[in-house]
C-alpha cells in the first residue's frame, strides 16, 4: 500500500514529527552518558574522538544502512521488523530448516521491541524533566513525580486517539530541531575548531589509543542512533523520499550541529559535562527549553506507543498473540488504533522502570540492548531477503551486509556489558513476550492438530445430512471453521440441539498471510457446495483491518444473496484442557489455556454485529 497521497512538504513534516522524534531527543543524554561514568578521561583529544565517533555512527548506521539501503527492502511498500520478517520468511519458505530458526530470531527481535518501548518513554521524558535540576537544584525532588504525571497524561489520552493533536507533532518537532541547531551554532561560534571532529581521523586515533575503552563506550555512543528503526518501521506511512529528505535536510544537520555544540561547550567549560545539553542554553531560556524538550519527548513516546499498537495488531494477525480488544480512534484513518491491554501494560512497566532506576543515567544502563539486538536482527534478515527473494549473487549479499553485521555486533556486544547494571530489565521483558508469543503459536498448532484429528469431511457430512434433511429456516448461517473442508463444531452442536438448518449456509475460513495488504479483489475465494451451501476462504494481510461482514458481500457475486438483517454467525468457543504427555511442557499448556481463555472474542475481532452472533462451547484437549 502506498504512502498517503499528500504533498511532499506535508509528508516531510509528518516524517519529522513521527519518524525522527526518538532519535531527535537522544541529544538530551548521549554525550552526558559517554563522559558520565568515568570510562573516558576528559581531555580535548577525547572530546574530538567521541564527537567523531558519534558523527560516523550516525552516518554509517542511519544514513547509509537505514536511509540508503534498508529502506529498499520494503514488503509491498511496508517496513519494520515484522514486515521484514514476513518478507524473509516467504523468501525461504521452501527451506524449512532455515525458516524455523529465522522465524524464531525475528520473533525474538519483535519481542525486544516491547522492552525498547518501555525504556524509550521513560528515559526520554525523564531526561527532559531533569532540566529542572539545571534551573534550580532545589527542584530535584519534583523530577520523578512530574515525569510520572506527564507519562500518566500521555497514556490516559491514548483512548481518545491522536487525530486532534497529531497535526501539531510535525511543527513542534521541527521547532525542536531548529532550536537544537541554534543552540549548537551558538557554541560552535566560540570554538569553530570543533568542526574538525568530522574527520574520521579523530575517531580512529581514539580507538587506536583506547581500544578497551572504545569498546566499552560503544554502549553509550549507540544512544545517538536509538530510534533509527523508526525510519524503516514508518516506511508505509510516509514513503521513502519524504523520510530520506527529512533526514538529510533537517534531522541529521540539526543533530550534528547540536552534538558538536555540546563538544564546543565542553572545550571551554568542562564542568558542564553534568548536563551539556541544558548548559548550552542561556539562563533565561532554560525553563522554555525544558518545556519544549518535554513536548518533544512526549511526541517521541507517542510515536513509540503508536508503533506498539501497530506491531501488536500485526503480530496478532500473524498468529503469534491471542486476539486483544482493538479500538479504532478515527473514522477517517483506519490505521489509528488503541489497544487498552498494551497501553496500560506498557504504562505499568514504564512506571516500574522510572521508580527503579530513578534517573536517566541509570536508565541509560538499561537502554541499548534491545535497540542493538533489533539492528543486528534487521541486518541478518536483510541478507536473507536480498539473497533468496531478490536472488542477488552470494558474494554481493555477503559484501553488502557483513560490514553492517560486524558494526551491529560490536555495538550489541558492548551493550551486553550493561546486563548486570540494568540491561537485564529489557531482556527480561523481551523474554517474557517471546515466551508468550511462541507458546501461543505452538498452542494454536496443537489445537489445529486436535481439531483435524476429530473433524469430519464437510462434503461427505452434507451429503449424509441431506439424505434426510432437517427443517430449513429462513436466513443465512455463517459457520467459522479453522480449516476449509472440515465440519465446524458449531454446525454439529446446532444440528444436535436446534435440529434445524438455515436456508443458506456459509462455511468460512479466515486466513492471515505474510503480506501487509491483500486487496479486495483477492480477498475472498468462493466454492459452491450445492444445496445453497458455500465454502469461503477470506484472506487478510497483517496490516489489513479485519471486517468479515464487509468481505462476505463478495458472496453476492456467486449467487448467495446475503441480507445482513437475516444473517447469523455461529462460532465455536473452545475450552482448552491441558494434558500431560505429548505437546508442550505442562506449564506452557496451562499458560496457553489461560491466554486462550482471556483472548478477546472472535466476534469483536472479526467485526461481527453483536446481535447476530451465536457461540456454542466445546472442550478440546491438547
Amino acid at each position: 500500500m502506498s504512502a498517503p497521497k499528500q504533498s511532499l512538504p506535508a509528508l516531510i513534516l509528518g516524517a519529522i514529527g513521527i519518524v525522527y522524534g526518538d532519535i531527535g531527543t537522544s541529544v538530551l543524554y548521549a554525550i552526558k552518558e559517554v563522559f558520565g561514568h568515568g570510562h573516558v578521561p576528559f581531555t580535548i583529544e577525547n572530546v574530538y574522538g567521541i564527537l567523531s565517533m558519534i558523527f560516523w555512527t550516525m552516518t554509517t548506521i542511519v544514513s547509509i544502512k537505514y536511509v540508503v539501503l534498508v529502506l529498499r527492502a520494503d514488503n509491498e511498500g511496508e517496513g519494520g521488523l515484522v514486515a521484514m520478517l514476513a518478507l524473509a520468511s516467504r523468501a525461504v519458505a521452501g527451506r524449512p530448516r532455515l525458516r524455523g530458526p529465522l522465524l524464531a530470531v525475528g520473533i525474538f527481535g519483535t519481542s525486544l521491541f516491547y522492552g525498547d518501548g518501555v525504556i524509550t518513554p521513560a528515559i526520554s521524558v525523564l531526561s527532559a524533566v531533569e532540566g529542572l535540576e539545571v534551573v534550580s537544584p532545589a527542584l530535584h525532588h519534583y523530577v520523578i513525580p512530574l515525569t510520572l504525571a506527564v507519562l500518566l497524561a500521555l497514556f490516559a489520552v491514548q483512548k481518545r486517539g491522536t487525530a486532534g493533536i497529531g497535526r501539531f507533532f510535525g511543527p513542534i518537532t521541527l521547532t525542536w530541531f531548529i532550536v537544537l541547531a541554534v543552540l549548537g551554532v551558538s557554541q560552535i561560534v566560540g570554538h569553530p575548531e570543533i568542526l574538525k571532529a568530522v574527520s574520521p581521523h579523530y575517531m580512529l586515533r581514539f580507538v587506536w589509543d583506547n581500544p578497551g575503552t572504545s569498546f566499552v563506550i560503544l554502549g553509550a555512543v549507540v544512544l545517538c542512533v536509538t530510534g533509527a528503526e523508526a525510519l524503516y518501521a514508518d516506511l508505509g506511512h510516509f514513503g521513502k523520499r519524504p523520510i530520506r529528505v527529512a533526514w538529510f535536510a533537517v534531522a541529521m544537520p540539526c543533530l550534528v550541529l547540536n552534538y558538536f555544540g555540546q563538544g564546543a561547550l565542553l572545550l571551554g567549560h568542562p564542568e558542564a559535562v553534568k548536563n551539556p545539553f541544558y548548559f548550552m542554553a542561556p539562563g533565561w531560556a532554560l525553563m522554555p527549553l525544558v518545556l519544549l524538550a518535554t513536548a518533544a519527548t512526549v511526541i517521541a513516546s507517542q510515536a513509540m506507543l503508536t508503533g506498539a499498537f501497530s506491531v501488536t495488531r500485526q503480530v496478532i494477525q500473524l498468529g503469534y498473540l491471542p486476539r486483544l480488544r482493538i479500538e479504532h480512534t478515527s473514522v477517517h484513518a483506519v490505521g489509528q488504533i488503541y489497544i487498552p491491554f498494551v497501553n496500560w501494560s506498557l504504562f505499568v512497566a514504564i512506571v516500574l522502570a522510572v521508580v527503579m532506576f530513578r534517573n536517566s543515567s541509570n536508565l541509560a544502563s538499561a537502554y541499548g540492548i534491545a535497540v542493538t539486538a533489533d539492528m543486528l536482527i534487521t541486518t541478518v534478515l536483510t541478507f536473507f531477503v536480498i539473497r533468496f527473494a531478490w536472488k542477488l549473487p552470494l558474494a554481493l549479499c555477503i559484501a553488502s551486509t557483513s560490514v553492517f553485521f560486524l558494526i551491529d555486533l560490536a555495538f550489541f556486544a558492548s551493550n551486553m556489558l550493561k546486563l548486570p547494571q540494568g540491561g537485564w530489565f529489557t531482556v527480561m521483558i523481551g523474554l517474557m513476550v517471546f515466551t508468550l508469543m511462541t507458546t501461543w503459536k505452538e498452542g494454536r498448532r496443537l489445537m489445529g492438530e486436535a481439531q483435524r484429528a476429530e473433524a469430519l469431511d464437510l462434503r461427505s457430512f452434507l451429503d449424509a445430512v441431506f439424505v434426510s434433511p432437517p427443517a430449513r429456516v429462513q436466513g443465512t448461517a455463517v459457520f467459522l471453521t479453522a480449516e476449509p473442508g472440515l465440519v465446524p463444531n458449531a454446525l454439529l452442536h446446532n444440528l444436535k440441539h436446534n435440529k434445524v438448518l438455515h436456508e443458506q449456509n456459509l462455511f468460512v475460513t479466515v486466513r492471515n498471510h505474510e503480506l501487509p495488504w491483500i486487496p479486495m479483489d483477492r480477498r475472498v475465494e468462493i466454492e459452491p457446495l450445492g444445496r445453497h451451501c458455500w465454502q469461503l476462504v477470506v484472506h487478510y494481510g497483517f496490516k489489513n483491518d479485519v471486517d468479515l461482514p464487509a468481505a462476505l458481500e463478495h458472496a453476492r457475486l456467486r449467487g448467495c444473496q446475503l441480507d445482513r438483517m437475516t444473517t447469523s454467525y455461529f462460532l465455536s468457543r473452545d475450552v482448552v484442557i491441558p494434558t500431560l504427555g505429548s505437546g508442550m511442557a505442562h506449564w506452557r499448556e496451562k499458560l496457553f489455556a489461560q491466554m486462550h481463555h482471556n483472548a478477546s472474542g472472535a466476534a469483536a475481532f472479526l467485526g461481527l454485529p453483536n446481535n447476530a452472533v451465536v457461540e456454542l462451547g466445546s472442550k478440546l484437549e491438547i
Side-chain angles (χ1 to χ4, degrees), residues 149-163:
V150 169
L151 289 168
L152 176 61
L154 171 65
F155 281 81
V157 301
Q158 293 306 307
K159 62 183 177 182
R160 301 182 182 277
T162 59

Side-chain angles (χ1 to χ4, degrees), residues 144-454:
I144 298 294
L146 281 174
T147 298
L148 295 178
V150 169
L151 289 168
L152 176 61
L154 171 65
F155 281 81
V157 301
Q158 293 306 307
K159 62 183 177 182
R160 301 182 182 277
T162 59
I165 61 174
R167 62 179 179 272
F168 298 111
F169 287 0
I172 291 174
T173 310
L174 179 59
T175 303
W176 169 251
F177 277 117
I178 293 171
V179 169
L180 294 185
V182 170
L183 289 174
V185 170
S186 69
Q187 299 297 325
I188 293 172
V189 168
H191 294 276
E193 67 275 13
I194 196 69
L195 295 176
K196 293 189 297 183
V198 168
S199 170
H201 160 75
Y202 293 96
M203 174 185 66
L204 296 174
R205 189 172 69 181
F206 178 85
V207 173
W208 180 265
D209 293 340
N210 310 277
T213 301
S214 298
F215 175 72
V216 171
I217 66 166
L218 285 178
V221 171
V222 78
L223 295 174
C224 73
V225 293
T226 54
E229 281 283 336
L231 290 170
Y232 184 44
D234 290 315
L235 174 59
H237 293 289
F238 301 103
K240 299 172 186 177
R241 189 181 176 195
I243 290 175
R244 286 170 173 158
V245 172
W247 173 250
F248 287 116
V250 179
M252 185 176 183
C254 294
L255 289 172
V256 169
L257 286 172
N258 193 269
Y259 281 121
F260 278 62
Q262 292 186 45
L265 172 69
L266 294 178
L267 292 182
H269 302 278
E271 70 280 2
V273 74
K274 293 183 296 183
N275 203 322
F277 175 80
Y278 280 112
F279 276 109
M280 283 195 297
W284 61 266
L286 271 176
M287 189 57 75
L289 186 59
V290 171
L291 294 175
L292 179 61
T294 303
T297 55
V298 166
I299 291 171
S301 302
Q302 175 63 60
M304 178 60 72
L305 262 176
T306 303
F309 297 151
S310 177
V311 166
T312 301
R313 184 177 71 168
Q314 295 172 32
V315 171
I316 289 171
Q317 292 187 204
L318 283 176
Y320 282 93
L321 280 177
R323 296 182 300 268
L324 298 172
R325 184 161 63 93
I326 298 176
E327 300 177 9
H328 291 266
T329 58
S330 172
V331 295
H332 303 292
V334 295
Q336 292 190 16
I337 59 173
Y338 167 65
I339 305 179
F341 178 80
V342 173
N343 186 69
W344 294 112
S345 296
L346 284 175
F347 177 71
V348 170
I350 289 170
V351 169
L352 186 62
V354 171
V355 172
M356 282 175 54
F357 292 99
R358 307 297 297 175
N359 59 59
S360 59
S361 292
N362 291 338
L363 274 168
S365 298
Y367 206 16
I369 293 180
V371 174
T372 51
D374 279 349
M375 288 179 176
L376 186 62
I377 290 169
T378 297
T379 301
V380 172
L381 295 179
T382 301
F383 170 81
F384 287 99
V385 170
I386 64 177
R387 173 65 180 136
F388 295 105
W390 298 358
K391 309 295 185 182
L392 296 181
L394 179 61
L396 179 61
C397 295
I398 293 174
S400 60
T401 58
S402 58
V403 173
F404 298 113
F405 178 83
L406 292 174
I407 293 172
D408 293 336
L409 184 62
F411 277 111
F412 175 68
S414 176
N415 275 277
M416 286 301 290
L417 298 176
K418 298 179 179 180
L419 203 58
Q421 285 77 39
W424 59 267
F425 186 73
T426 52
V427 173
M428 179 187 70
I429 293 173
L431 287 173
M432 289 171 60
V433 176
F434 181 72
T435 300
L436 292 175
M437 286 185 177
T438 52
T439 298
W440 180 257
K441 186 70 172 180
E442 181 65 10
R444 291 294 298 173
R445 186 187 68 79
L446 293 174
M447 273 190 68
E449 289 181 354
Q451 290 170 337
R452 285 190 292 272
E454 298 176 359

